[in-house]
Amino acid sequence: MTRYQHLAALLEQRIEQGLYRSGERLPSVRALSSEHGVSISTVQQAYNLLETRRLIMPQPRSGYFVAPRKAAPPIPALTRPVQRPVEITQWESVLELFNSCLDNSAFNFGGGTPDVNQSSVKPLWKLMSRFCQRQDERVLNYGNMYGASELREQVARLALDSGCQLTGDDIVITTGCQEALFVAVRAICESGDIVAVESPTFPGTLQLLRGLGIKVIEIPTCPISGISLDALKLALEQWPIKAVLLVPTCNNPLGFCMPDKYKQSLVMLAQQFDLAIIEDDAYGELVYDYPRPRTVKSFDDDGRVLLCSSFSKTIAPGLRVGWVAPGRYLERVLHMKYISTGYTVTHTQLAVAEFIAQGHYQPHLRRMRMQYKANLDVFTCHVREYFPCGICVSRPQGGFLMWIELPEHFDSLRLNREVKKAGIQIAAGSLFSAAGKYRNCIRLNYALPFTQETAQGLRLVGEAVAKMFNEHGADDCCVESPVGPGQNQVS
Amino acid sequence: MTRYQHLAALLEQRIEQGLYRSGERLPSVRALSSEHGVSISTVQQAYNLLETRRLIMPQPRSGYFVAPRKAAPPIPALTRPVQRPVEITQWESVLELFNSCLDNSAFNFGGGTPDVNQSSVKPLWKLMSRFCQRQDERVLNYGNMYGASELREQVARLALDSGCQLTGDDIVITTGCQEALFVAVRAICESGDIVAVESPTFPGTLQLLRGLGIKVIEIPTCPISGISLDALKLALEQWPIKAVLLVPTCNNPLGFCMPDKYKQSLVMLAQQFDLAIIEDDAYGELVYDYPRPRTVKSFDDDGRVLLCSSFSKTIAPGLRVGWVAPGRYLERVLHMKYISTGYTVTHTQLAVAEFIAQGHYQPHLRRMRMQYKANLDVFTCHVREYFPCGICVSRPQGGFLMWIELPEHFDSLRLNREVKKAGIQIAAGSLFSAAGKYRNCIRLNYALPFTQETAQGLRLVGEAVAKMFNEHGADDCCVESPVGPGQNQVS
């Protein structure tokens, strides 16, 4: 941490502790300089940083003041989706999102892309380049349908961190986590089957199930502790559910980590109802507080959990390197992998295996976790500043995705159209529900380093929201409320 | 063509024309040298080449003699598969083939891998390396779900050669041709549907259909002109067939090219029965006689043909770059692509696009076509030499795959086990039929340059076949017969 960052952290702490109060004038640059024995420019840099984070405000010719603070918005409440199997819709909205992403001018808060530009990823470039310079023949040939053995061994080693005892032979490499989920579902389900999911759920999963003719039952999900096991049990008693598919660690889009004991209970429930569990752990390594939580798979003693993951969120999505540890479904998963894409691209598999083997992966992960956590703080400050009151905001425990719940009748699809005019992309909440619920919610991506442009983009979104609020007279809900479960039920 | 190749071609022509007869002594090296005004070593090289191709034999201290010739084995007859929809089996055999391919010591005649080691592919290494050295951010990011626009434009340009008027917007890039076929089938068919295929058919296709719960009806197929349109029409009149899936150009495994007029008639038949056509053109660019034949897609005027292809056979399979031009099914194909793998790896897409744009692709194709055609000649000579009589051999018009039909009760799965002991891999014919027919057939790959090792491997396969023949007293069928459709029906 540099001097100015250190000073900024100290000042922030004083503001948080109430030593400098909202609206109060802060010490002059000169005073701080002599108090802390640092240069004028160091103090100025510290103040600039705090200003970027909207904790303080400059007043021309008067110095800096503590910014007036709004209360932290509450966390969304337990979700309440429809409690019966439904057909999945929303493909058109997904397609619209993708097509508008094709416009490179868009400032993209909507996608699930990580930051791939940090220096800790640079060794990967070298490794990829080296395989080409050496003209490693494996890069051009089919390789092994299970995936490169070097990579499978590294994946098995990494899985130890989440409490899984795996070997390379337990793992099939896939074209990203999407293919891992696809072959996992195909290994278990047929058209007409019912699968239980968290609510809200990642659109890639919903569309996958839709494409396979599978119905989903969305289970109420707590934005802090994950899927409601009581609600799941009720659903299992009522419907012939084949599998439960979930993102229990650093959930997309809610950001929660399901507590270990709940994960264990989930496995017991699955055993009781003879259910398969498909666990999407794509964001699991990006948890802010290390060591990382255990996977559901780590509690599995009879091979019923299919653990799916990838390096798309942790290193880079363009590599298309994912994997599945399918337990007892290994052969069937292999069949499904063979028929869907045959083989996975070899070059990036070998490069990732070497990136891990050479010890670059863990430092890279540490860096990205720190960055995303820091981004979350800044991002939350700006959301608090720019968005009107009456919203609920998730408290992600990892990853780089934020879920914002707006009042019940808010139309995020319309918001999407509004902000798109300014070249901004958001993800409308309705994509995250089989039946198009959560239209009053949005998901924002905060992976990239926070810049003036980010602030500008967020301000525009916030203003568009406020404008739509005003039209409906919904801006009178700006009350200071303690942090806690929100009162706005997702209906 | 170098001098010695020119001389060898001339001598071969004379042998073919009967100017030098079987067993006759050829002119001395010295005599040929002065006759053609070339050096002694040029003549020696020409003789060496002809010896490798088993057209001539050296006799110590007596010079070279025209090798005794067996008749060219006949071409297999029109296939006669079961004429009703069947469930697909054979996955276990496919899995066995893959698992034994994992043993790198195996001499692999069984796979569908092209030769990726020729110098004409070297610019691709440089391009791949350059994208990494420049740290082109596109390599790490998700990119475009349709595929890189640079590549789609190049694919559209290439498609002109096969008579297709396409633009980049008509094309979706996929993870190899396997994903192209997968999303094409998924766009049209559901579990329980019936699809018509050529017989024999590429195992990847059969297992794909099996994995999707689709039944196939195998249509009698001529090893010279392709699927029987009469038989297809009869099947269409009798069964509710949803689509026909075929490899009409440089067919895998039979090597035929369906004549243009048949392709046109096929489209008309599809229109009459409102049928979709899935055309696998993975080997189409590897036809020996250029310009290449038209695709079925080029006759399509109402968007019912889904043209699937890849650069796996023409450049390298490890790149995993394929594509589909899905006609009227574009949006549905895109949905299926999104759910199965999301995105295609960007790096190899960009490298292939640049490889084509810089003009490396056509010279590379020319080289590979020449190599495969030359390999076919040598390979056929050796098969003729080492295999017992009573076999039928395909006459591939492109690609690098040969189909050998052995007498009716021959067991190629047993042959597979026998030769595997010697580290040799072949593809048993039963993999190529939904119901496990063609157990008396094998498919051999002749992509790699012919070496002593290849000859040794082929000799071992031939000897194993002969040994199995002898056990069944089937080796008395060595009669000189004219080249033409074989008498051994595939039952």
Side-chain angles (χ1 to χ4, degrees):
Chain A
M1 201 181 261
T2 62
R3 262 183 203 179
Y4 83 91
Q5 286 171 327
H6 191 80
L7 179 60
L10 188 81
L11 293 171
E12 180 183 354
Q13 198 181 8
R14 289 183 181 175
I15 294 170
E16 292 289 342
Q17 290 168 346
L19 295 176
Y20 302 135
R21 304 213 174 172
S22 181
E24 190 179 329
R25 189 170 181 277
L26 287 156
S28 71
V29 171
R30 195 171 301 272
L32 272 184
S33 164
S34 71
E35 179 189 342
H36 295 278
V38 296
S39 71
I40 297 281
S41 80
T42 300
V43 178
Q44 193 61 54
Q45 278 183 294
Y47 271 164
N48 288 347
L49 181 63
L50 294 173
E51 189 191 341
T52 310
R53 300 185 48 197
R54 313 198 71 81
L55 290 167
I56 65 173
M57 288 165 36
Q59 293 280 355
R61 299 191 197 156
S62 310
Y64 287 91
F65 291 76
V66 178
R69 305 202 65 189
K70 291 188 192 173
I75 301 175
L78 180 78
T79 61
R80 298 193 184 282
V82 182
Q83 286 288 284
R84 57 178 163 72
V86 293
E87 303 268 359
I88 301 150
T89 56
Q90 307 307 312
W91 165 241
E92 290 64 28
S93 303
V94 173
L95 193 63
E96 198 185 325
L97 179 67
F98 284 113
N99 285 332
S100 63
C101 284
L102 298 183
D103 175 9
N104 285 326
S105 70
F107 194 91
N108 196 342
F109 292 119
T113 310
D115 182 10
V116 298
N117 292 311
Q118 295 311 308
S119 61
S120 54
V121 95
K122 296 227 182 299
L124 185 75
W125 286 115
K126 276 196 192 146
L127 290 167
M128 285 177 70
S129 185
R130 199 176 301 162
F131 280 108
C132 300
Q133 281 161 354
R134 285 185 192 157
Q135 306 196 352
D136 191 317
E137 206 188 298
R138 292 173 297 173
V139 167
L140 298 189
N141 273 324
Y142 273 119
N144 177 336
M145 198 165 49
Y146 295 79
S149 56
E150 296 89 332
L151 180 60
R152 289 185 291 141
E153 274 158 34
Q154 294 298 339
V155 167
R157 277 185 45 210
L158 291 177
L160 280 173
D161 288 348
S162 70
C164 285
Q165 302 285 337
L166 297 174
T167 72
D169 292 341
D170 298 320
I171 288 156
V172 177
I173 304 295
T174 56
T175 305
C177 192
Q178 185 68 25
E179 193 186 30
L181 293 169
F182 184 74
V183 296
V185 172
R186 288 282 301 135
I188 295 163
C189 302
E190 293 183 358
S191 177
D193 283 347
I194 304 171
V195 167
V197 297
E198 293 148 337
S199 183
T201 287
F202 166 51
T205 298
L206 289 178
Q207 294 306 320
L208 185 169
L209 296 169
R210 174 183 188 239
L212 296 174
I214 292 166
K215 289 198 175 109
V216 304
I217 179 155
E218 298 180 72
I219 306 295
T221 300
C222 166
I224 298 167
S225 61
I227 197 167
S228 160
L229 295 178
D230 291 340
L232 178 61
K233 187 157 187 261
L234 275 175
L236 289 171
E237 282 161 355
Q238 208 172 346
W239 307 98
I241 293 169
K242 210 66 170 285
V244 55
L245 193 163
L246 70 184
V247 192
T249 312
C250 305
N251 176 267
N252 173 8
L254 290 174
F256 60 77
C257 291
M258 195 178 182
D260 277 3
K261 62 174 188 238
Y262 289 13
K263 287 177 178 165
Q264 190 167 18
S265 304
L266 176 66
V267 172
M268 287 163 66
L269 200 60
Q271 284 168 346
Q272 188 188 335
F273 287 87
D274 196 18
L275 200 69
I277 299 173
I278 302 172
E279 179 178 21
D280 175 355
D281 191 51
Y283 294 84
E285 306 263 89
L286 294 175
V287 70
Y288 302 145
D289 292 324
Y290 233 65
R292 61 153 293 165
R294 291 180 64 169
T295 46
V296 174
K297 175 84 176 171
S298 73
F299 295 102
D300 176 30
D301 51 21
D302 59 358
R304 66 176 64 245
V305 180
L306 299 96
L307 177 62
C308 302
S309 192
S310 80
F311 296 98
S312 294
K313 307 302 179 184
T314 50
I315 305 180
L319 305 172
R320 307 313 293 131
V321 178
W323 54 274
V324 51
R328 61 168 84 156
Y329 305 99
L330 180 66
E331 198 195 310
R332 190 131 170 87
V333 157
L334 196 68
H335 192 199
M336 293 303 135
K337 162 71 185 160
Y338 170 59
I339 69 170
S340 71
T341 57
Y343 297 79
T344 307
V345 66
T346 322
H347 184 208
T348 50
Q349 284 189 66
L350 295 174
V352 169
E354 200 63 19
F355 186 76
I356 304 169
Q358 291 188 3
H360 301 299
Y361 184 61
Q362 294 297 349
H364 169 68
L365 268 187
R366 274 196 295 277
R367 186 195 178 111
M368 298 320 294
R369 284 196 298 263
M370 272 175 59
Q371 173 173 325
Y372 296 144
K373 188 177 183 185
N375 285 0
L376 171 63
D377 290 345
V378 186
F379 213 83
T380 307
C381 284
H382 283 75
V383 165
R384 198 190 279 182
E385 178 71 19
Y386 293 137
F387 279 59
C389 293
I391 65 173
C392 297
V393 178
S394 65
R395 299 286 187 278
Q397 293 171 56
F400 44 78
L401 300 169
M402 176 182 282
W403 183 255
I404 299 179
E405 185 185 307
L406 301 152
E408 193 176 331
H409 297 294
F410 190 87
D411 181 359
S412 63
L413 290 172
R414 208 191 117 201
L415 174 66
N416 199 9
R417 285 192 297 272
E418 289 296 325
V419 298
K420 215 193 289 183
K421 294 174 197 160
I424 295 170
Q425 183 71 54
I426 59 163
S430 49
L431 301 180
F432 296 80
S433 159
K437 289 176 58 69
Y438 308 118
R439 191 157 171 163
N440 62 325
C441 300
I442 59 174
R443 191 195 70 177
L444 300 179
N445 177 318
Y446 56 84
L448 296 179
F450 202 89
T451 63
Q452 286 298 334
E453 216 183 350
T454 325
Q456 174 74 355
L458 261 187
R459 194 171 59 80
L460 278 165
V461 178
E463 283 171 3
V465 170
K467 196 175 151 216
M468 286 170 65
F469 267 38
N470 287 334
E471 286 168 18
H472 295 88
D475 66 339
D476 54 350
C477 50
C478 188
V479 287
E480 293 254 339
S481 69
V483 176
Q487 273 72 54
N488 295 309
Q489 299 291 346
V490 178
S491 61
Chain B
M1 201 182 262
T2 63
R3 261 184 204 179
Y4 82 90
Q5 287 172 327
H6 190 79
L7 179 60
L10 187 81
L11 293 171
E12 181 183 352
Q13 199 181 7
R14 290 183 181 176
I15 293 168
E16 292 288 342
Q17 290 168 345
L19 296 176
Y20 302 133
R21 304 213 173 171
S22 180
E24 190 178 330
R25 189 172 181 277
L26 287 157
S28 72
V29 172
R30 195 170 301 272
L32 273 184
S33 164
S34 70
E35 180 189 343
H36 294 278
V38 295
S39 70
I40 297 278
S41 80
T42 301
V43 178
Q44 194 59 57
Q45 279 183 293
Y47 272 163
N48 288 348
L49 181 63
L50 293 174
E51 189 192 339
T52 311
R53 300 184 50 198
R54 312 195 73 80
L55 288 170
I56 65 172
M57 290 163 37
Q59 293 280 355
R61 301 193 195 152
S62 309
Y64 286 91
F65 290 77
V66 178
R69 304 201 67 188
K70 289 189 193 173
I75 301 173
L78 180 77
T79 61
R80 297 193 184 280
V82 183
Q83 286 288 283
R84 56 180 163 70
V86 292
E87 304 266 359
I88 300 150
T89 56
Q90 308 306 312
W91 165 240
E92 289 66 28
S93 303
V94 173
L95 194 62
E96 199 185 323
L97 179 67
F98 284 114
N99 285 333
S100 62
C101 285
L102 297 183
D103 175 10
N104 285 327
S105 70
F107 194 91
N108 196 342
F109 292 120
T113 311
D115 182 10
V116 298
N117 292 311
Q118 294 311 309
S119 60
S120 54
V121 93
K122 296 225 181 301
L124 184 75
W125 286 114
K126 276 196 193 145
L127 291 166
M128 285 178 70
S129 184
R130 199 177 301 164
F131 280 108
C132 300
Q133 281 161 355
R134 285 184 193 159
Q135 307 196 353
D136 190 317
E137 205 190 299
R138 291 173 298 172
V139 167
L140 298 189
N141 273 326
Y142 273 119
N144 177 335
M145 199 166 48
Y146 295 79
S149 55
E150 297 89 333
L151 180 60
R152 289 185 291 141
E153 273 159 34
Q154 294 299 340
V155 167
R157 277 185 45 209
L158 292 177
L160 281 173
D161 288 348
S162 70
C164 286
Q165 302 285 338
L166 297 174
T167 72
D169 291 341
D170 298 320
I171 288 156
V172 177
I173 304 295
T174 56
T175 306
C177 191
Q178 184 69 25
E179 193 186 30
L181 293 169
F182 183 74
V183 295
V185 172
R186 288 282 302 135
I188 295 164
C189 303
E190 293 183 0
S191 178
D193 282 348
I194 304 172
V195 167
V197 296
E198 293 149 338
S199 183
T201 288
F202 166 52
T205 298
L206 289 178
Q207 294 305 320
L208 185 168
L209 296 169
R210 175 183 187 237
L212 296 174
I214 292 166
K215 289 197 175 110
V216 305
I217 179 155
E218 298 180 72
I219 306 294
T221 300
C222 167
I224 296 167
S225 61
I227 197 166
S228 160
L229 295 178
D230 292 339
L232 178 62
K233 186 157 187 259
L234 276 175
L236 289 170
E237 282 162 355
Q238 208 172 347
W239 307 99
I241 293 169
K242 210 68 171 281
V244 56
L245 192 163
L246 69 184
V247 192
T249 311
C250 306
N251 175 267
N252 173 9
L254 290 174
F256 61 76
C257 289
M258 194 178 185
D260 276 4
K261 61 174 187 235
Y262 289 14
K263 287 176 177 166
Q264 191 168 18
S265 303
L266 176 66
V267 171
M268 287 162 65
L269 200 60
Q271 283 169 347
Q272 187 187 335
F273 286 88
D274 196 17
L275 200 68
I277 298 174
I278 302 172
E279 178 178 22
D280 175 355
D281 192 51
Y283 293 84
E285 306 263 89
L286 293 175
V287 71
Y288 300 147
D289 292 324
Y290 233 64
R292 61 152 295 164
R294 292 179 64 169
T295 46
V296 174
K297 175 83 177 171
S298 73
F299 295 103
D300 176 30
D301 52 20
D302 60 357
R304 65 177 65 245
V305 180
L306 300 96
L307 177 62
C308 302
S309 192
S310 80
F311 295 98
S312 295
K313 307 302 179 184
T314 50
I315 306 180
L319 305 172
R320 307 313 293 131
V321 178
W323 54 274
V324 51
R328 64 167 84 158
Y329 305 99
L330 180 67
E331 198 195 311
R332 189 132 171 85
V333 156
L334 197 68
H335 192 200
M336 293 303 134
K337 162 71 184 160
Y338 171 58
I339 69 170
S340 71
T341 57
Y343 297 79
T344 307
V345 66
T346 322
H347 184 208
T348 51
Q349 285 188 65
L350 296 174
V352 168
E354 199 64 21
F355 186 76
I356 304 169
Q358 292 189 1
H360 301 298
Y361 185 60
Q362 293 299 350
H364 170 68
L365 268 187
R366 276 197 294 278
R367 185 195 179 111
M368 298 320 295
R369 284 196 298 262
M370 273 176 59
Q371 171 173 327
Y372 295 145
K373 188 178 183 186
N375 285 1
L376 171 62
D377 291 343
V378 187
F379 214 83
T380 307
C381 286
H382 283 76
V383 165
R384 199 191 279 182
E385 178 71 20
Y386 293 137
F387 278 58
C389 293
I391 64 173
C392 297
V393 177
S394 65
R395 300 284 187 280
Q397 293 172 56
F400 44 78
L401 301 169
M402 175 182 283
W403 183 255
I404 300 179
E405 186 184 307
L406 301 153
E408 193 176 332
H409 296 294
F410 190 88
D411 182 357
S412 62
L413 290 172
R414 209 190 115 202
L415 174 67
N416 200 8
R417 285 193 296 274
E418 290 295 326
V419 297
K420 216 193 287 182
K421 293 174 197 161
I424 295 170
Q425 182 72 54
I426 59 164
S430 49
L431 301 180
F432 297 80
S433 160
K437 289 176 58 67
Y438 308 118
R439 192 157 168 163
N440 61 327
C441 300
I442 59 175
R443 192 194 70 178
L444 300 180
N445 177 318
Y446 56 85
L448 296 179
F450 203 88
T451 62
Q452 286 299 332
E453 217 182 350
T454 324
Q456 173 75 358
L458 261 187
R459 193 169 61 76
L460 277 165
V461 178
E463 283 171 2
V465 169
K467 195 174 151 214
M468 286 170 66
F469 266 37
N470 286 334
E471 285 168 20
H472 294 88
D475 64 340
D476 54 350
C477 49
C478 189
V479 287
E480 293 254 338
S481 68
V483 175
Q487 274 71 53
N488 296 307
Q489 300 291 345
V490 178
S491 61

